[in-house]
Short mmCIF file of all heavy atoms in Angstrom, two decimals:
data_model
loop_
_atom_site.label_atom_id
_atom_site.label_comp_id
_atom_site.label_asym_id
_atom_site.label_seq_id
_atom_site.Cartn_x
_atom_site.Cartn_y
_atom_site.Cartn_z
N GLY B 229 336.69 116.20 174.44
CA GLY B 229 335.60 117.09 174.10
C GLY B 229 334.70 116.50 173.03
O GLY B 229 334.86 115.35 172.61
N GLY B 230 333.74 117.29 172.56
CA GLY B 230 332.85 116.87 171.49
C GLY B 230 332.03 115.64 171.84
O GLY B 230 331.56 115.46 172.96
N GLU B 231 331.90 114.76 170.85
CA GLU B 231 331.10 113.56 171.04
C GLU B 231 331.68 112.64 172.09
O GLU B 231 330.95 111.98 172.84
CB GLU B 231 330.95 112.83 169.71
CG GLU B 231 329.97 111.67 169.75
CD GLU B 231 329.76 111.04 168.39
OE1 GLU B 231 330.19 111.65 167.39
OE2 GLU B 231 329.18 109.94 168.33
N ALA B 232 333.02 112.58 172.17
CA ALA B 232 333.66 111.73 173.18
C ALA B 232 333.29 112.20 174.59
O ALA B 232 333.03 111.38 175.48
CB ALA B 232 335.17 111.75 173.00
N ARG B 233 333.25 113.51 174.79
CA ARG B 233 332.87 114.03 176.10
C ARG B 233 331.42 113.67 176.42
O ARG B 233 331.09 113.35 177.56
CB ARG B 233 333.08 115.54 176.16
CG ARG B 233 332.60 116.16 177.46
CD ARG B 233 332.97 117.62 177.60
NE ARG B 233 334.38 117.78 177.96
CZ ARG B 233 334.90 118.92 178.44
NH1 ARG B 233 334.12 119.98 178.63
NH2 ARG B 233 336.17 119.01 178.73
N GLU B 234 330.54 113.74 175.42
CA GLU B 234 329.14 113.38 175.64
C GLU B 234 329.01 111.92 176.09
O GLU B 234 328.19 111.60 176.94
CB GLU B 234 328.33 113.62 174.37
CG GLU B 234 328.12 115.08 174.03
CD GLU B 234 327.19 115.25 172.85
OE1 GLU B 234 326.34 114.37 172.62
OE2 GLU B 234 327.30 116.27 172.15
N VAL B 235 329.83 111.04 175.50
CA VAL B 235 329.81 109.63 175.91
C VAL B 235 330.21 109.50 177.38
O VAL B 235 329.58 108.77 178.15
CB VAL B 235 330.74 108.80 175.01
CG1 VAL B 235 330.90 107.38 175.56
CG2 VAL B 235 330.21 108.76 173.58
N ALA B 236 331.27 110.23 177.76
CA ALA B 236 331.73 110.17 179.15
C ALA B 236 330.66 110.71 180.10
O ALA B 236 330.40 110.13 181.17
CB ALA B 236 333.03 110.96 179.30
N GLU B 237 330.03 111.82 179.73
CA GLU B 237 328.99 112.40 180.58
C GLU B 237 327.80 111.45 180.72
O GLU B 237 327.24 111.30 181.81
CB GLU B 237 328.52 113.73 179.98
CG GLU B 237 329.57 114.83 180.05
CD GLU B 237 329.17 116.05 179.23
OE1 GLU B 237 328.29 115.91 178.34
OE2 GLU B 237 329.72 117.13 179.49
N GLY B 238 327.44 110.81 179.61
CA GLY B 238 326.34 109.84 179.68
C GLY B 238 326.65 108.69 180.61
O GLY B 238 325.77 108.21 181.34
N PHE B 239 327.91 108.25 180.62
CA PHE B 239 328.29 107.15 181.50
C PHE B 239 328.27 107.60 182.96
O PHE B 239 327.92 106.82 183.86
CB PHE B 239 329.66 106.60 181.12
CG PHE B 239 329.94 105.24 181.67
CD1 PHE B 239 329.61 104.10 180.95
CD2 PHE B 239 330.49 105.07 182.94
CE1 PHE B 239 329.84 102.83 181.46
CE2 PHE B 239 330.72 103.81 183.46
CZ PHE B 239 330.40 102.68 182.71
N LEU B 240 328.67 108.84 183.22
CA LEU B 240 328.61 109.35 184.59
C LEU B 240 327.17 109.36 185.10
O LEU B 240 326.91 109.04 186.27
CB LEU B 240 329.19 110.76 184.65
CG LEU B 240 330.71 110.87 184.51
CD1 LEU B 240 331.14 112.32 184.38
CD2 LEU B 240 331.41 110.23 185.71
N PHE B 241 326.22 109.69 184.23
CA PHE B 241 324.82 109.65 184.64
C PHE B 241 324.40 108.21 184.90
O PHE B 241 323.64 107.92 185.82
CB PHE B 241 323.95 110.29 183.56
CG PHE B 241 322.56 110.66 184.02
CD1 PHE B 241 322.14 110.43 185.33
CD2 PHE B 241 321.67 111.25 183.15
CE1 PHE B 241 320.87 110.77 185.74
CE2 PHE B 241 320.39 111.59 183.56
CZ PHE B 241 320.00 111.35 184.86
N ARG B 242 324.91 107.26 184.11
CA ARG B 242 324.61 105.85 184.36
C ARG B 242 325.17 105.44 185.71
O ARG B 242 324.52 104.68 186.46
CB ARG B 242 325.22 104.97 183.26
CG ARG B 242 324.84 103.50 183.40
CD ARG B 242 325.63 102.62 182.44
NE ARG B 242 325.41 103.00 181.05
CZ ARG B 242 326.04 102.42 180.03
NH1 ARG B 242 326.92 101.45 180.26
NH2 ARG B 242 325.80 102.82 178.79
N ALA B 243 326.37 105.92 186.06
CA ALA B 243 326.96 105.60 187.36
C ALA B 243 326.10 106.13 188.50
O ALA B 243 325.91 105.47 189.52
CB ALA B 243 328.38 106.17 187.45
N LEU B 244 325.56 107.34 188.33
CA LEU B 244 324.68 107.90 189.35
C LEU B 244 323.43 107.05 189.51
O LEU B 244 322.98 106.77 190.63
CB LEU B 244 324.30 109.34 188.96
CG LEU B 244 323.25 110.02 189.84
CD1 LEU B 244 323.71 110.12 191.29
CD2 LEU B 244 322.91 111.41 189.29
N ARG B 245 322.85 106.61 188.41
CA ARG B 245 321.65 105.78 188.50
C ARG B 245 321.98 104.43 189.13
O ARG B 245 321.14 103.84 189.84
CB ARG B 245 321.02 105.61 187.12
CG ARG B 245 320.59 106.93 186.49
CD ARG B 245 319.60 106.76 185.35
NE ARG B 245 320.06 105.85 184.32
CZ ARG B 245 320.86 106.17 183.32
NH1 ARG B 245 321.34 107.42 183.24
NH2 ARG B 245 321.21 105.29 182.41
N ALA B 246 323.18 103.93 188.89
CA ALA B 246 323.60 102.68 189.54
C ALA B 246 323.72 102.88 191.05
O ALA B 246 323.40 101.98 191.83
CB ALA B 246 324.93 102.21 188.95
N ASP B 247 324.19 104.06 191.48
CA ASP B 247 324.25 104.35 192.91
C ASP B 247 322.85 104.34 193.52
O ASP B 247 322.64 103.82 194.62
CB ASP B 247 324.89 105.73 193.13
CG ASP B 247 326.41 105.70 192.99
OD1 ASP B 247 327.01 104.67 193.33
OD2 ASP B 247 326.98 106.72 192.55
N LEU B 248 321.90 104.94 192.81
CA LEU B 248 320.52 104.96 193.31
C LEU B 248 319.96 103.55 193.40
O LEU B 248 319.28 103.19 194.37
CB LEU B 248 319.66 105.82 192.39
CG LEU B 248 319.93 107.33 192.41
CD1 LEU B 248 319.22 108.02 191.25
CD2 LEU B 248 319.48 107.93 193.73
N GLU B 249 320.25 102.74 192.37
CA GLU B 249 319.76 101.37 192.37
C GLU B 249 320.34 100.59 193.55
O GLU B 249 319.64 99.84 194.24
CB GLU B 249 320.12 100.69 191.05
CG GLU B 249 319.42 99.39 190.77
CD GLU B 249 317.93 99.59 190.51
OE1 GLU B 249 317.50 100.74 190.27
OE2 GLU B 249 317.19 98.59 190.57
N ALA B 250 321.63 100.80 193.82
CA ALA B 250 322.28 100.10 194.93
C ALA B 250 321.67 100.47 196.27
O ALA B 250 321.58 99.64 197.19
CB ALA B 250 323.78 100.41 194.93
N ALA B 251 321.23 101.73 196.39
CA ALA B 251 320.63 102.17 197.65
C ALA B 251 319.32 101.46 197.94
O ALA B 251 318.90 101.36 199.09
CB ALA B 251 320.41 103.69 197.61
N TYR B 252 318.69 100.93 196.89
CA TYR B 252 317.40 100.25 197.06
C TYR B 252 317.54 98.73 197.16
O TYR B 252 316.70 98.08 197.78
CB TYR B 252 316.46 100.60 195.90
CG TYR B 252 315.72 101.90 196.11
CD1 TYR B 252 316.35 103.12 195.87
CD2 TYR B 252 314.42 101.92 196.56
CE1 TYR B 252 315.68 104.32 196.06
CE2 TYR B 252 313.73 103.11 196.77
CZ TYR B 252 314.38 104.31 196.52
OH TYR B 252 313.72 105.50 196.72
N VAL B 253 318.57 98.15 196.53
CA VAL B 253 318.67 96.69 196.51
C VAL B 253 319.54 96.14 197.64
O VAL B 253 319.56 94.93 197.86
CB VAL B 253 319.20 96.19 195.15
CG1 VAL B 253 318.27 96.61 194.03
CG2 VAL B 253 320.62 96.67 194.90
N SER B 254 320.26 97.02 198.35
CA SER B 254 321.04 96.54 199.49
C SER B 254 320.09 96.03 200.57
O SER B 254 318.88 96.31 200.55
CB SER B 254 321.91 97.66 200.05
OG SER B 254 321.09 98.67 200.62
N LEU B 255 320.63 95.28 201.52
CA LEU B 255 319.80 94.74 202.60
C LEU B 255 319.11 95.86 203.35
O LEU B 255 317.90 95.80 203.61
CB LEU B 255 320.67 93.92 203.56
CG LEU B 255 319.93 93.33 204.77
CD1 LEU B 255 318.80 92.41 204.32
CD2 LEU B 255 320.91 92.60 205.69
N LEU B 256 319.85 96.91 203.69
CA LEU B 256 319.26 98.03 204.41
C LEU B 256 318.21 98.72 203.54
O LEU B 256 317.14 99.10 204.02
CB LEU B 256 320.35 99.03 204.81
CG LEU B 256 319.86 100.30 205.52
CD1 LEU B 256 319.14 99.96 206.82
CD2 LEU B 256 321.02 101.25 205.78
N GLY B 257 318.51 98.85 202.25
CA GLY B 257 317.57 99.51 201.36
C GLY B 257 316.27 98.75 201.22
O GLY B 257 315.19 99.34 201.22
N ARG B 258 316.36 97.45 201.12
CA ARG B 258 315.15 96.64 200.98
C ARG B 258 314.28 96.74 202.23
O ARG B 258 313.05 96.64 202.17
CB ARG B 258 315.51 95.18 200.70
CG ARG B 258 316.09 94.97 199.31
CD ARG B 258 316.07 93.50 198.93
NE ARG B 258 316.84 92.66 199.84
CZ ARG B 258 318.13 92.38 199.70
NH1 ARG B 258 318.81 92.89 198.67
NH2 ARG B 258 318.76 91.61 200.56
N LEU B 259 314.92 96.91 203.38
CA LEU B 259 314.18 96.99 204.64
C LEU B 259 313.60 98.38 204.91
O LEU B 259 312.57 98.51 205.57
CB LEU B 259 315.09 96.60 205.81
CG LEU B 259 315.55 95.13 205.84
CD1 LEU B 259 316.56 94.93 206.96
CD2 LEU B 259 314.35 94.20 206.03
N SER B 260 314.27 99.43 204.41
CA SER B 260 313.90 100.78 204.83
C SER B 260 313.37 101.67 203.72
O SER B 260 312.78 102.72 204.01
CB SER B 260 315.11 101.47 205.46
OG SER B 260 316.19 101.54 204.52
N ARG B 261 313.55 101.29 202.46
CA ARG B 261 313.13 102.18 201.38
C ARG B 261 311.93 101.59 200.64
O ARG B 261 311.83 100.38 200.45
CB ARG B 261 314.27 102.41 200.38
CG ARG B 261 315.49 103.08 200.97
CD ARG B 261 316.50 103.44 199.87
NE ARG B 261 317.76 103.87 200.43
CZ ARG B 261 318.04 105.11 200.84
NH1 ARG B 261 317.09 106.04 200.74
NH2 ARG B 261 319.22 105.42 201.34
N ALA B 262 311.04 102.47 200.25
CA ALA B 262 309.89 102.08 199.44
C ALA B 262 309.68 103.14 198.38
O ALA B 262 310.15 104.27 198.49
CB ALA B 262 308.64 101.93 200.31
N GLY B 263 308.95 102.78 197.35
CA GLY B 263 308.71 103.72 196.27
C GLY B 263 309.91 103.81 195.34
O GLY B 263 310.79 102.94 195.32
N ARG B 264 309.95 104.87 194.56
CA ARG B 264 311.03 105.09 193.60
C ARG B 264 311.59 106.49 193.76
O ARG B 264 310.85 107.44 194.04
CB ARG B 264 310.50 104.95 192.17
CG ARG B 264 310.10 103.54 191.76
CD ARG B 264 309.41 103.58 190.42
NE ARG B 264 309.14 102.26 189.87
CZ ARG B 264 308.12 101.99 189.05
NH1 ARG B 264 307.28 102.96 188.71
NH2 ARG B 264 307.94 100.78 188.58
N PRO B 265 312.89 106.66 193.55
CA PRO B 265 313.47 108.01 193.58
C PRO B 265 313.06 108.78 192.34
O PRO B 265 312.68 108.20 191.32
CB PRO B 265 314.97 107.75 193.61
CG PRO B 265 315.14 106.43 192.91
CD PRO B 265 313.91 105.63 193.26
N ALA B 266 313.13 110.10 192.41
CA ALA B 266 312.68 110.94 191.30
C ALA B 266 313.72 112.00 190.97
O ALA B 266 314.33 112.59 191.87
CB ALA B 266 311.34 111.60 191.63
N LEU B 267 313.88 112.25 189.67
CA LEU B 267 314.70 113.36 189.19
C LEU B 267 313.77 114.27 188.38
O LEU B 267 313.16 113.83 187.40
CB LEU B 267 315.85 112.87 188.32
CG LEU B 267 316.68 113.96 187.63
CD1 LEU B 267 317.30 114.90 188.65
CD2 LEU B 267 317.76 113.35 186.74
#
Side-chain angles (χ1 to χ4, degrees):
E231 188 175 347
R233 176 172 283 196
E234 289 186 27
V235 171
E237 291 170 340
F239 198 91
L240 287 171
F241 196 0
R242 185 190 300 177
L244 173 60
R245 299 198 306 277
D247 282 327
L248 291 168
E249 194 69 15
Y252 276 79
V253 300
S254 67
L255 178 59
L256 177 61
R258 290 196 300 270
L259 293 174
S260 59
R261 298 188 190 276
R264 291 171 173 151
L267 173 60

